[in-house]
Structure formats: structure tokens, C-alpha cells
Amino acid sequence: MKKPRLHRERNYGTIYALPIALWFTVFFLVPLLVIIVFSFLKADVDGGVMPLVSLDAYRNLLRPRIFRIFFNTIWVSVVSTLITILMALPCAYFMAKSKAKTFLLILVIIPFWTNFIIRVFAWKTILESNGVINSLLIGFGAIANPLPLEHNWIAVIIINVYTYLTYAILPLFSTIEKFDFTLLEAARDLGASKIQSIVRVLLPNVKAGIVTAIFFTFIPLLGSFVVQQLIGTKDMYMLGNEINDNIYKYFDWPTAYAIAVVLMLLANVGLLFVMKNDRKQAKAASARRVDDVDDGPRAPRQAISVAGGR
Amino acid sequence: MKGATIGILGISKAFGSFAALNDVSLDIRKGEFFSLLGPSGCGKTTLLRIIAGFEQPDEGSVTIDGINVLPLPPNRRHANTVFQNYALFPHLSVFENVAFPLRLKNTKNSIVTAKVNDYLHLVELGDHAAKMPSMLSGGQKQRVAIARALINEPSVLLLDEPLSALDAKLRHHMLMELDAIHDKIGITFIYVTHDQSEALSVSDRIAVMYQGDVLQVGTPHDIYESPATNFVAQFIGETNMFEGTVRASMGQMYVLDVDELGRVVVTDDRIYEVGERVSLTVRPEKLRISPDEPRVNGRSDINVFEGTVDEPIYSGFQSKYYVRLSPTVVFRVFKQHSDYTDEEHDILWKERVHVSWSAKDGYIVEGHRN
Amino acid sequence: MQKKRFSFSKTSFIASMVFLFVPLVVLIVFSFNANKAPVLTGFSLVWYQRLFTSSRSLWNAFFTSITIAVTASITATVIGTLAAIGVHWHKFALKTYVQAITYIPLVLPEIIIGMSLLAFFSGSHFTLGGVSVNVGFRLNLGWLTIFIAHATFCLPFVYLMVLARLDEFDSSIIEAAHDLGATEGQTLLKVIIPISMPGIISGFLTSLTLSLEDFTITYFVSGVSSTLPMAVYGQMYKGGVSPVINALSAIMILGTIVLALLARNFLKYIAANG
């Protein structure tokens, strides 16, 4: 039989998606490819490159100083992320169970509406040798000389946690909010203690939110440089500072690009590690819910719906 | 006369390697309440979506009043759809949902108001015009969807399992109302359902579909009383089904040798050869159940078998019995409760009973396709 | 009456809120300080006076930030919404590409987005036989480059938020519109955009927030142009931040709280009707 003549279906999908495809190709993919390709070229003066394939940039990274920086980056990011998540979990739980969710959500977001650098400045005011805390302590006669609160690891980690706490709370909130709290009652009914019911029932069920919270905290932390520069010391420099210095101080851009490539790999190793565990869990749970077994984008996508419609 | 005739000729449609429809042809008459009935995956919804214009067939043609509609997009076919999940626009009030098609055509406000109110009254929602869809019950949403689909005055209304989201009682009520609306406006209704009782109670004709094929087209009576295949017999209502061989024929009366049962007499107006393998079906409500042997009075067209009541199930207006004749043969029997039954006592579990039916209540089903 | 039991989650939440708000309170308190140093000496409105009389460049930087936030958010919202609509309801060749490419920025440290755009906009060049060859756009770093960078990192968020909203609808709502006589354009304007509104609004507000909050990416693409964060960074780097910044920040914080409460009522209204 002959193919019937049908009404023409124009593919509007392409029309709708063309702007984003063009925008991301030009302003995201191409720049990313530029730095990846240029990291394998020889550095020229004032930030340029010579059309010579070279591993100089990567060779520059094989120095004890860079190893230390690399190590700093990992441990500061991991510790800051852990503390952030541990603080964010009970907050998100409380918010999800509260009757005033919208209000609490706004409360958490408000500090976010003040630029990051201004909040770093506020912390500086608090921690400085003649800052708020020291003034108060001296004023009360608790100490005679100001404590060295600034320029140490603790200060850097406090500000890191401060910066990413909201980033961690939002995805956790949106997943815990969808959690069926009667499951906790069921667990209690079956003999679990409150802590057991949270660890064994709540946490496994809000895993997607935890993974997203880790993404949102750990990945940007890997590339941070401002806090170390303004509140820390040179000993605390991380890969982000090294990129900054190679761009603006040494004008060795290929080396900055090479560090960026290392950072991308680092971010993705962390990511794969988290997602692999997540995927395993998801597979085990696939009998229950088919839509859990999905590729990566699901978790952030779910969690980004946070403020959606609220 | 309102309504349209719909001609479906040789429609085939595959999704990947899955054949949803195999060379389906149907003729739907002007103003008919026509049901597409079948289990999920039988192709009924795909066929409806092809008529509406949401899917394109691989082969075949669809005509509405003789005009080929396949080259037309959904918005230019005189057919409107009532969706399974209602598909109401959540940002528009009930009134504006129904007014939507008119607004698209920039209809004058006074006409819109008058017409929308007419249709809201038709579905008995006159008082709810200002509400948002989220404030309505399932049944009310359904009515809005119907009013909205009707306001363009289509010549065909396509209904895709419109009652499946409602509870049983409401479903029955809505069904009666749909029937009333159909009678009032007189256009052609094509109704997709997997529920045989819905289809039987309101349809003028039914097409029973299975695995992409139309197995039988007929009135509810035809389909129930003379199912064309085993599948139709089993899908429409409950039935007792046996395999057997034709042993003798006397005009329209046949004597069958039914496996594990023995001699059974049945009438059928079709011709069967002696020795042919056939299926025999008897509806449970056609069976009589009695503790004593029924008085046959020498009549040879009554079939009687003796068995034990396995499980009596009381369900208000009727009782169901599973009567076991042998380890592998069980009869399903329905018995209506009425004051006129001449039974002296209730039939109990484990009681020995007689099951009987007359030759005209059995039915030979052709073919062993399923 | 039962004695109120200790609630760990409530205590944690309150402690975290104190942690989040203390720096903001400090900013506001010091905006009223008579002294420049971070030691409270007395109440004064001198910084507010200076803010409104002799801080033209700071105001310019502030308005640049606001302008960029608004324009970048609008751009991201329009492009991201269209993309979500396309991806949710249609199948097309670019679909996988769009899904992948909008996901990657979320899993890259922001510094990489900043520096790659810097490399791109400064027209990374190499010398070939004595001739300088440029790769990328040679754009003067400034307003335009910040706008592009902000729209880029906001886009995935708008896209995902609108998509999350559209997940609540299957194709029947679009089919219903077409069935009732709407063209694609009418369906977009009268059905798709209105039903996506909650997602569009939260995407837009998220974009505004991210843009106002961002420092890292702005730092790399701003060049000599001054935005508020760059002005503050410059002063901090040199060692002395003028309390005028405190005054401006205090005004901004109170302003955002008022806006947030307004937005809350607005979003409640949307939620009730969406």
C-alpha cells in the first residue's frame, strides 16, 4: 500500500532549543575547548601561546610547591564540604517539617542576595585582630592581647562553610520535603530508635539531595581562591590561587589552563565517585522506582526544583 | 442531521518493532455512540489518536464525512478530544477553559458568554464557571473537559478512557450523563475504554480490539451473546469455556463431545462439520443450580451435570458459585436473588448440586486463534 | 502541659541562621559607626551621608551590577525557558546535545567558566610566522562580557527549573490546545508560557540571586569596568574598605528583605493558582 499523505509536522523542538544550543556552543563549549587545547601549547609572552605542542604547562605542575597546593585544595574542600553537609542536613530537615516553609526558605536565601565578596568583608570585620570578636573579648577583659583569628585554616573553613551552607540546604530541603514522613513513624513502630530511623530510613531516601548538595559545595570549593587570598595566607593557597597568579602575575596562561584541566578532572573524579555509589543504590532500588535509575542530571534536576513554584 | 460518518480503511501503525495496529478498517455511522473496547496495549488509544490527528498512521486512510483528514493537523479536523487526564488548562478558570477555542477565534464577548454558559449548563456546571480547575472534583473536571471539547461544535467527539480516573459510583453516573449528552446533541461519539460494562451499557456498536486487530464489530447484544472468538467471549463478561469435538448435527442442533465433560447439546445457526474441534462457551448467569436433579421431562436439549460447591460468594444482589465437577473442571454460576426463586434453601459449601442449561444458552465459538 | 522537648533539628537550624545572619548584622551595625576602624566608637550617619553625596563611582558600580543582573537574568530566562519547552515536549536532533551541555556547567568549578571566558574574550592569540592569530572573540572586557558570562551560568538553572515545572504536564495539555484549534504560536503564548510561569519566575529570581551573588566569574571577565563586587574587592585588596560600603550593603540587605517578603506573597499567590 502507498504511504498516505499526512499533515506536515514542523519540528518546533529545534526552533525552541536553537538559541540555547548556539549560546552554549559559542560561550561555553568553545571557550572550554580553547583552554583545553591551549594547555598543550607553548607559552608566549603576555598570555599568548606559540603554535608549538608542548607539555611545559603540565611539567610546571610537577613541583613540590604545586603538590602542596594540590593537597591543600583536596583537604580543605573535603573538610569544608563535610561540615557544610552536616550542618545543612538538620536545617533542611527542620525546614521540611516546618509549617512556615516559604518563610524559612526566604530566610536561608536572604544572605545570598548580598554579594559573596561583601560577606567575606563582613567576616574580615569579625575576625580581624581589632575586629568584632577580639574587641568584645578585650572589652570584657577575657583576654589582654587580640587572638589571631584571621589568616588561619579555621577562618578559611568557616567562611567556606558560610558561603556554601545555603547551596547545600536548598537541594536537601527540596528532597526531604518530598520524603514521606510516615516512613519514619513506621520505622519507629518497628522498633527503631529515632537516630536509627533517620540513619536507616531518611538518609537513604534523600540520597539524591545529599549528592546534589555535595556537588554544589565541593565542586566550586575546588576552584576557590578569594578567601585564601583575603583571609588566609600564601601557605594556604589552593589551585584557584595558582590559576589566578599564572594569569595575572606570571602571564603564563597555558599553565593556568593546565591547572584548570587538572581541576576539571578532579571535579569529575569526585563526581564519578559519588555517582557510582549513587547508581549502585539506585540499581538496587530500581525494583521500587524505575525513575530513580537515570543518568546523572536527575539528581541536580530534582534538587534544583527547590524554589520552583514556591 | 448532525454528526459525521468516519471511514477507517487499512490503518497500520508501528512504534519501532511493536505493531500497534494491523490493517484496521471500520465504518462508523453518523451520530453513532461507537466504542473501541480492548485491554491495554490493544491499539484502541492509538486508533483514536490517529483520528484526532496526534499520531500519523504508517498506512491507510481516515475520512470524516468522506473527506480524507490525514493531511489536516488536529486543529483543522472537525473532531475534538476528551482526554483521559482531562488536560484542563490550570491557569484558566472553568469559564475560560471552555471559552478557549472561541477566544482563539477572537469571538465577540457576548457570543462567548452566551455559548459558554449554554455548554456549562449542558454539563450541569453552571454554578462553577468562576472556579479554577484545581478546585474541582474529578467528575467536575471531566464535565469541563466535555464542555470544552463540544464548544467548537465538532461532528465527532473522541473520548479517551474519560472515566478511568473516577471512582466506581461516579463512573456509572457520568456514563449515564454522557449517554444523555449524546442523545441531546446527536453527534458521533467514539469512546475508548477497557471496561466492557461501560461499553455494553451505552454503545450503539462496539469494536473489540486485541493486539492491534479488530476481532469483532457489533451491537452490545451481538458481542455478548455471539462472541466471534474465544478472546471476545472471555473479555466480555465472565464465561465458562470448554474445548470439544462435534459428534453429530441435527439441523441447528449439535451434539458435542466436550473434553473432561462428555455429551453436551448446543444450538448454533452456523454450520460445523462432524469431527471439527470447537470451543463452547456458556455464560455463568445462564446456568441453573439446584440441589435436586432438575426435572428434564424427557427433553433432550437440557444439559445436566453434577458437582460439589467449592466456594459460594455472596455479593448482595447475586451469589456466585464455583461448582467443581472433577479435579480440573469448575463451573462458574451466577444466581440472582429474587423473591420468585423457587429454591427452598440456600446452597452451602461442599453441597452436592446439579448444574444445568438449555441447548440455546450455549454458544459455539469459531476458531482457535487465542 | 507536656514539657517542650529538646529538638536537635530546631536548635541546629537556629544556630545556622545565627551563623548566616551575624555577618549581615555586623555590616549593618558598622554602617552606623562613627569610626572608620572596625571598633565601635559611637553612632553616626556619616557613611550614609557620604554614600548619598560623594560616592558617585560606587553608585555607578552598584547600578552596573543591578543592570547586569536584570538583563542577564531576562536573557537567561527567555533562552532557558524556550529550551526547556523544546526538550520537554519534542524529539529533535539537538536534544541530547542540549541536555548534556546545560548539565556540564553545574559540575565545573566556576573559576573554569570565568577563566575560559576570559581566554575567549581576550582573543587568545598565538604567533604564526610573525603574524598574530586570534582564537575567540576579541571583546573589550566590560559590561558586555560580564553580561554574557552571567547569562551563561544562569541559563542551566532557568532551564532546569522550568523543566521541573513542565514535568508536571504530559503532552495531553499541548494536544488539547491544538485539538481545540490553537496554532503553535497560540499554544505557546496562551498555554505553555502561562503554565510554566511558576518555573519561569523561580528561574528568573534564581538568576537574579546568582548574578548578584557572583564574584568569581565576574572577577575574570570584568576587566577595568567596575561592578560593586569588583569595587569592594579592590578596596579589600588594598587593605582598607570604606564603611560607605557598609552603608550601601545595609540598604541593600534591608531592600532585599522587603523585596523577598513581597516576592513571598507573590509566589504564594502563584502557588495557589498554579
Side-chain angles (χ1 to χ4, degrees):
Chain A
M1 194 164 185
K2 217 175 61 198
K3 285 263 168 218
R5 196 165 66 90
L6 306 171
H7 72 262
R8 201 157 54 96
E9 263 192 40
R10 194 173 294 143
N11 200 333
Y12 293 99
T14 312
I15 299 171
Y16 287 132
L18 207 56
I20 204 170
L22 286 178
W23 186 283
F24 266 85
T25 306
V26 176
F27 296 124
F28 176 69
L29 191 65
V30 170
L32 209 58
L33 291 176
V34 165
I35 65 169
I36 293 171
V37 171
F38 279 29
S39 73
F40 293 101
L41 297 180
K42 208 168 175 61
D44 200 349
V45 284
D46 69 322
V49 289
M50 290 187 269
L52 293 170
V53 175
S54 151
L55 288 175
D56 279 359
Y58 291 92
R59 225 167 275 137
N60 284 341
L61 304 184
L62 299 172
R63 277 185 260 161
R65 192 176 63 88
I66 305 284
F67 286 138
R68 207 187 60 233
I69 287 175
F70 189 84
F71 177 70
N72 281 349
T73 307
I74 305 270
W75 85 260
V76 171
S77 303
V78 168
V79 169
S80 306
T81 302
L82 272 180
I83 298 175
T84 307
I85 302 289
L86 288 179
M87 278 179 72
L89 266 171
C91 290
Y93 178 84
F94 175 76
M95 289 165 67
K97 289 203 86 170
S98 158
K99 287 193 184 74
K101 285 180 195 156
T102 314
F103 174 71
L104 297 185
L105 205 57
I106 288 175
L107 210 59
V108 169
I109 294 175
I110 281 175
F112 231 54
W113 286 23
T114 307
N115 189 275
F116 164 67
I117 198 82
I118 293 177
R119 288 178 292 145
V120 173
F121 160 60
W123 274 106
K124 198 172 168 65
T125 313
I126 296 172
L127 299 172
E128 275 176 318
S129 57
N130 54 349
V132 176
I133 296 181
N134 277 319
S135 309
L136 285 175
L137 290 176
I138 293 172
F140 285 120
I143 52 171
N145 297 311
L147 298 170
L149 299 172
E150 215 186 352
H151 308 302
N152 59 42
W153 287 116
I154 296 176
V156 171
I157 290 173
I158 286 179
I159 299 174
N160 282 344
V161 171
Y162 179 82
T163 308
Y164 293 102
L165 188 59
T166 304
Y167 273 115
I169 288 177
L170 294 182
L172 285 172
F173 166 77
S174 79
T175 34
I176 296 178
E177 193 198 12
K178 289 180 200 116
F179 176 74
D180 177 6
F181 282 98
T182 55
L183 292 181
L184 285 186
E185 288 167 14
R188 295 299 297 278
D189 185 57
L190 296 167
S193 70
K194 188 161 185 181
I195 289 171
Q196 279 175 322
S197 69
I198 283 175
V199 172
R200 286 167 173 269
V201 178
L202 178 72
L203 293 187
N205 278 294
V206 297
K207 198 154 176 153
I210 298 177
V211 170
T212 312
I214 293 175
F215 283 17
F216 282 6
T217 312
F218 181 71
I219 290 173
L221 271 171
L222 283 178
S224 70
F225 65 96
V226 178
V227 179
Q228 299 88 289
Q229 193 183 35
L230 298 177
I231 307 289
T233 65
K234 278 214 157 34
D235 293 336
M236 296 167 200
Y237 271 20
M238 299 186 6
L239 289 174
N241 300 88
E242 197 60 26
I243 290 179
N244 188 27
D245 284 354
N246 272 295
I247 290 180
Y248 290 114
K249 257 192 198 158
Y250 315 138
F251 297 103
D252 181 358
W253 287 27
T255 301
Y257 300 153
I259 301 168
V261 170
V262 170
L263 261 182
M264 280 186 239
L265 292 175
L266 208 58
N268 284 293
V269 166
L271 204 71
L272 287 177
F273 177 73
V274 173
M275 286 212 317
K276 202 180 123 215
N277 279 331
D278 191 43
R279 194 85 49 93
K280 243 189 256 162
Q281 293 270 335
K283 270 202 182 125
S286 64
R288 264 182 308 153
R289 285 190 50 190
V290 188
D291 59 349
D292 274 349
V293 197
D294 204 337
D295 300 301
R298 180 105 201 153
R301 186 166 145 188
Q302 221 176 43
I304 283 169
S305 61
V306 182
R310 183 159 291 281
Chain B
M1 177 79 192
K2 286 185 251 174
T5 56
I6 291 116
I8 293 160
L9 190 65
I11 291 284
S12 291
K13 171 81 182 172
F15 296 105
S17 61
F18 174 72
L21 293 170
N22 311 315
D23 194 13
V24 168
S25 297
L26 287 171
D27 277 304
I28 297 165
R29 297 167 194 152
K30 204 178 259 286
E32 196 169 32
F33 196 126
F34 191 91
S35 292
L36 298 173
L37 172 65
S40 62
C42 72
K44 56 192 191 300
T45 296
T46 306
L47 184 56
L48 193 81
R49 290 170 59 81
I50 287 173
I51 300 170
F54 305 134
E55 303 280 0
Q56 310 273 24
D58 299 332
E59 282 176 13
S61 72
V62 176
T63 58
I64 297 182
D65 274 341
I67 299 159
N68 178 16
V69 293
L70 289 183
L72 302 175
N75 50 358
R76 295 192 38 216
R77 299 185 185 188
H78 290 289
N80 282 113
T81 304
V82 176
F83 290 85
Q84 187 170 6
N85 63 354
Y86 321 127
L88 299 183
F89 304 126
H91 60 292
L92 298 177
S93 66
V94 167
F95 185 93
E96 286 302 327
N97 258 284
V98 178
F100 185 85
L102 305 178
R103 300 283 188 212
L104 292 175
K105 292 183 281 194
N106 293 319
T107 312
K108 253 172 64 189
N109 235 336
S110 55
I111 298 174
V112 172
T113 312
K115 217 170 160 191
V116 170
N117 283 332
D118 279 354
Y119 278 90
L120 284 178
H121 280 294
L122 177 72
V123 296
E124 296 173 15
L125 273 181
D127 302 336
H128 302 276
K131 287 189 179 164
M132 297 306 283
S134 57
M135 299 157 75
L136 301 180
S137 69
Q140 290 169 329
K141 285 180 186 167
Q142 187 56 259
R143 289 157 200 259
V144 180
I146 293 168
R148 190 180 68 174
L150 288 174
I151 201 156
N152 258 347
E153 297 175 0
S155 44
V156 188
L157 187 68
L158 307 171
L159 303 109
D160 182 9
E161 304 246 6
L163 309 180
S164 60
L166 305 178
D167 65 58
K169 216 165 180 178
L170 200 54
R171 196 152 56 214
H172 181 73
H173 183 72
M174 276 305 297
L175 196 61
M176 293 303 108
E177 232 165 276
L178 267 180
D179 198 21
I181 290 170
H182 176 250
D183 290 347
K184 208 179 291 179
I185 61 177
I187 64 170
T188 312
F189 276 32
I190 303 181
Y191 185 90
V192 162
T193 182
H194 64 272
D195 185 320
Q196 41 100 9
S197 70
E198 277 178 19
L200 291 175
S201 56
V202 290
S203 310
D204 294 317
R205 286 192 307 149
I206 298 170
V208 183
M209 296 182 68
Y210 184 63
Q211 292 183 343
D213 292 308
V214 172
L215 301 183
Q216 187 174 10
V217 182
T219 62
H221 186 268
D222 289 344
I223 289 201
Y224 189 82
E225 300 291 341
S226 328
T229 71
N230 287 5
F231 176 80
V232 175
Q234 278 166 332
F235 188 71
I236 311 291
E238 288 189 61
T239 196
N240 296 292
M241 188 79 95
F242 303 98
E243 302 281 305
T245 312
V246 179
R247 278 283 163 255
S249 67
M250 298 158 271
Q252 293 195 341
M253 187 168 297
Y254 293 92
V255 178
L256 308 184
D257 185 10
V258 174
D259 308 347
E260 303 182 87
L261 207 63
R263 180 184 174 277
V264 171
V265 196
V266 60
T267 57
D268 200 300
D269 51 11
R270 284 168 291 193
I271 313 273
Y272 299 93
E273 301 296 324
V274 171
E276 194 175 338
R277 291 288 290 173
V278 291
S279 298
L280 168 75
T281 175
V282 195
R283 298 281 180 193
E285 72 274 12
K286 301 281 165 83
L287 295 176
R288 288 175 53 86
I289 184 169
S290 57
D292 309 314
E293 181 156 5
R295 289 182 297 275
V296 177
N297 290 342
R299 284 175 59 186
S300 60
D301 61 341
I302 306 275
N303 304 294
V304 181
F305 294 95
E306 198 179 349
T308 312
V309 177
D310 239 13
E311 217 179 327
I313 300 166
Y314 176 77
S315 62
F317 66 95
Q318 68 172 18
S319 284
K320 256 188 204 184
Y321 302 96
Y322 290 91
V323 179
R324 185 171 292 282
L325 274 71
S326 75
T328 52
V329 179
V330 177
F331 270 107
R332 253 182 288 189
V333 184
F334 295 165
K335 188 162 140 316
Q336 298 291 322
H337 296 299
S338 79
D339 291 341
Y340 303 108
T341 35
D342 45 4
E343 312 296 347
E344 306 82 35
H345 70 97
D346 286 341
I347 290 158
L348 303 171
W349 185 51
K350 291 291 179 205
E351 192 170 338
R352 290 295 290 179
V353 291
H354 292 85
V355 173
S356 57
W357 71 95
S358 83
K360 65 175 172 42
D361 288 334
Y363 184 80
I364 294 177
V365 181
E366 271 185 303
H368 293 192
R369 271 198 277 178
N370 299 304
Chain C
M1 274 294 282
Q2 204 189 337
K3 213 177 100 189
K4 257 255 185 281
R5 282 181 55 209
F6 170 78
S7 160
F8 176 72
S9 62
K10 188 175 188 178
T11 315
S12 305
F13 182 78
I14 292 170
S16 298
M17 287 307 107
V18 171
F19 179 58
L20 282 181
F21 278 87
V22 157
L24 304 188
V25 172
V26 166
L27 277 178
I28 295 171
V29 168
F30 277 87
S31 72
F32 295 107
N33 189 15
N35 198 334
K36 191 181 166 107
V39 180
L40 284 173
T41 49
F43 182 82
S44 161
L45 288 175
V46 63
W47 309 116
Y48 287 89
Q49 192 204 343
R50 279 208 201 154
L51 176 64
F52 288 106
T53 54
S54 56
S55 305
R56 174 166 285 254
S57 66
L58 197 59
W59 278 110
N60 284 341
F62 171 74
F63 284 117
T64 305
S65 292
I66 299 279
T67 313
I68 288 170
V70 171
T71 51
S73 298
I74 291 173
T75 307
T77 304
V78 171
I79 297 179
T81 301
L82 289 179
I85 290 168
V87 166
H88 183 68
W89 273 305
H90 300 273
K91 285 199 178 83
F92 54 97
L94 280 174
K95 188 166 174 166
T96 317
Y97 178 68
V98 168
Q99 284 172 319
I101 201 122
T102 46
Y103 176 58
I104 300 172
L106 297 173
V107 297
L108 282 186
E110 44 190 340
I111 192 172
I112 290 177
I113 299 172
M115 67 179 290
S116 64
L117 280 171
L118 169 66
F120 185 68
F121 290 140
S122 49
S124 285
H125 54 278
F126 55 84
T127 333
L128 192 64
V131 185
S132 179
V133 179
N134 279 295
V135 175
F137 266 88
R138 185 127 212 176
L139 276 182
N140 285 329
L141 295 181
W143 192 95
L144 184 61
T145 52
I146 304 174
F147 158 79
I148 291 172
H150 281 213
T152 306
F153 72 72
C154 291
L155 253 171
F157 287 89
V158 178
Y159 164 78
L160 289 173
M161 284 176 153
V162 176
L163 209 54
R165 167 68 181 171
L166 292 180
D167 270 348
E168 294 170 30
F169 301 95
D170 63 15
S171 55
S172 67
I173 194 131
I174 302 290
E175 287 173 354
H178 285 159
D179 186 56
L180 296 167
T183 60
E184 181 71 17
Q186 286 174 319
T187 308
L188 181 68
L189 292 177
K190 295 191 183 232
V191 177
I192 302 179
I193 296 204
I195 63 174
S196 320
M197 230 1 139
I200 295 175
I201 288 171
S202 38
F204 178 75
L205 292 178
T206 307
S207 296
L208 270 185
T209 312
L210 290 172
S211 172
L212 289 173
E213 201 267 348
D214 175 73
F215 173 76
T216 307
I217 295 174
T218 314
Y219 170 84
F220 283 101
V221 296
S222 61
V224 289
S225 75
S226 184
T227 59
L228 187 62
M230 289 310 293
V232 178
Y233 176 76
Q235 293 187 14
M236 278 182 82
Y237 198 67
K238 282 180 216 136
V241 178
S242 161
V244 175
I245 299 280
N246 289 71
L248 181 57
S249 303
I251 291 174
M252 280 172 64
I253 292 165
L254 296 176
T256 53
I257 291 175
V258 171
L259 276 178
L261 293 176
L262 288 177
R264 178 194 179 202
N265 292 332
F266 180 63
L267 290 178
K268 265 194 175 161
Y269 171 81
I270 294 280
N273 294 287

